[in-house]
């Protein structure tokens, strides 16, 4: 079964990550499904904006280490590289993508969300990059963090000592729109999407094309370097203990 649900809201397509039993974690099938649907919707003349969200309980909990227990370190690095390529591709779509973050955005879920063009967050949403605390550098997507908050703040966020809520994400610039408690994050994201969908599509696409290299920068090279550092970190005892806990062969 696909790991996403696709719904049509007029000129807006809503992609919902639908793996609630795995906290919407990023597995191999999810990467394939999102890659396919982003490409398909970007070619669809009736789709003027895309909303990316997650089924309850949250947006996305990062890489699915339980699924990756069936592979080795080389396979895990390859999966992370494919996920990084998916996240980078969002900047180069002609169609704007809005992330609707409720519940949590953790690890790879955090970076997938901020790789979108606009980020809408609930005030109580939990944001965290926990990778360093469990033994390794995030293996992709750090250019997206730098693009939003600058390198010094990005470094501090990547150390990830403590999670923070949507209010702090908005204050930092990680999120663009803050939704008050009790209000629908998806509805707020749809309003953002509908506003963009009402604009002339060629001008919206041209704006994305102009800013893509400025936002993405050297993301491909940065992801390749981070992936190599990640592989090296996985030999450290703390990382080894984390991997053993999930059954990953490292």
């Amino acid at each position: 079964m696909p790991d996403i649900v696709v719904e049509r809201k007029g000129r807006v397509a809503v992609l919902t990550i639908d793996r609630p039993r795995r906290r919407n974690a990023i597995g191999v099938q999810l990467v394939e499904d999102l890659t396919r649907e982003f490409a398909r919707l970007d070619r669809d003349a009736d789709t003027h904006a895309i909303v990316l969200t997650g089924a309850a309980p949250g947006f996305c909990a990062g890489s699915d280490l339980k699924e990756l227990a069936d592979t080795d370190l080389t396979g895990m690095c390859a999966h992370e590289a494919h996920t990084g390529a998916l996240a980078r591709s969002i900047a180069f779509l002609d169609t704007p993508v809005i992330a609707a973050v409720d519940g949590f955005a953790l690890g790879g879920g955090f970076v997938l969300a901020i790789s979108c063009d606009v980020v809408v967050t609930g005030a109580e949403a939990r944001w965290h990059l926990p990778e360093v605390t469990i033994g390794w550098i995030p293996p992709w997507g750090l250019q997206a963090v730098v693009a939003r908050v600058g390198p010094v703040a990005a470094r501090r966020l990547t150390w990830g000592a403590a999670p923070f809520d949507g209010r702090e994400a908005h204050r930092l610039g990680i999120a663009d729109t803050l939704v008050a408690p009790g209000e629908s994050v998806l509805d707020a994201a749809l309003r953002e999407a509908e506003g963009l969908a009402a604009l002339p599509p060629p001008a919206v696409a041209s704006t994305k094309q102009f800013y893509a290299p400025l936002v993405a920068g050297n993301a491909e090279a940065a992801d390749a370097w981070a992936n190599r550092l990640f592989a090296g970190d996985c030999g450290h005892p703390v990382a080894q203990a984390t991997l053993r806990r999930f059954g990953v062969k490292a």
Side-chain angles (χ1 to χ4, degrees):
M1 294 294 291
D3 284 344
I4 57 174
V5 174
V6 184
E7 298 176 277
R8 175 69 64 177
K9 303 281 187 180
R11 292 175 293 187
V12 177
V14 179
L15 299 185
T16 302
I17 302 171
D18 190 29
R19 306 188 75 214
R21 293 183 180 179
R22 303 302 277 268
R23 289 165 57 83
N24 297 329
I26 302 170
V28 173
Q29 186 66 51
L30 178 60
V31 173
E32 292 179 358
D33 289 347
L34 285 176
T35 299
R36 181 191 66 248
E37 289 303 318
F38 277 137
R40 181 182 70 83
L41 292 169
D42 199 41
R43 295 190 301 265
D44 179 12
D46 294 327
T47 300
H48 293 192
I50 300 168
V51 171
L52 178 64
T53 190
F59 181 78
C60 175
S63 295
D64 190 342
L65 292 180
K66 289 185 178 179
E67 178 182 309
L68 295 174
D70 293 331
T71 188
D72 57 12
L73 179 57
T74 300
M76 189 163 70
C77 287
H79 169 70
E80 298 297 348
H82 292 152
T83 310
L86 162 66
R88 291 194 306 272
S89 73
I90 294 172
F92 294 94
L93 300 175
D94 288 340
T95 310
V97 181
I98 297 88
V101 177
D102 206 0
F104 50 77
L106 310 175
F110 181 121
V111 184
L112 179 61
I114 67 170
S115 296
C116 296
D117 302 300
V118 179
V119 179
V120 178
T121 183
E124 306 294 339
R126 182 171 178 260
W127 291 80
H128 194 205
L129 289 173
E131 287 89 342
V132 170
T133 67
I134 59 176
W136 53 73
I137 187 174
W140 54 273
L142 293 178
Q143 173 62 36
V145 188
V146 172
R148 283 190 166 268
V149 302
V152 173
R155 181 178 59 197
R156 184 168 181 270
L157 289 177
T158 304
W159 280 328
F164 50 90
D165 64 13
R167 299 176 186 86
E168 181 67 0
H170 183 253
R171 188 191 72 79
L172 289 168
I174 288 293
D176 303 292
T177 300
L178 178 65
V179 181
E183 295 184 9
S184 168
V185 175
L186 180 57
D187 286 349
L190 283 169
R191 287 194 295 272
E192 295 269 0
E194 288 161 358
L196 289 168
L199 300 174
V204 172
S206 294
T207 302
K208 279 208 65 175
Q209 291 163 9
F210 177 85
Y211 281 103
L214 301 177
V215 171
N218 64 342
E220 186 172 2
D223 281 357
W225 177 228
N227 195 285
R228 289 178 61 190
L229 293 169
F230 165 76
D233 287 345
C234 285
H236 187 275
V238 173
Q240 288 281 306
T242 300
L243 294 171
R244 283 195 300 270
R245 191 163 69 247
F246 286 95
V248 178
K249 299 182 289 291

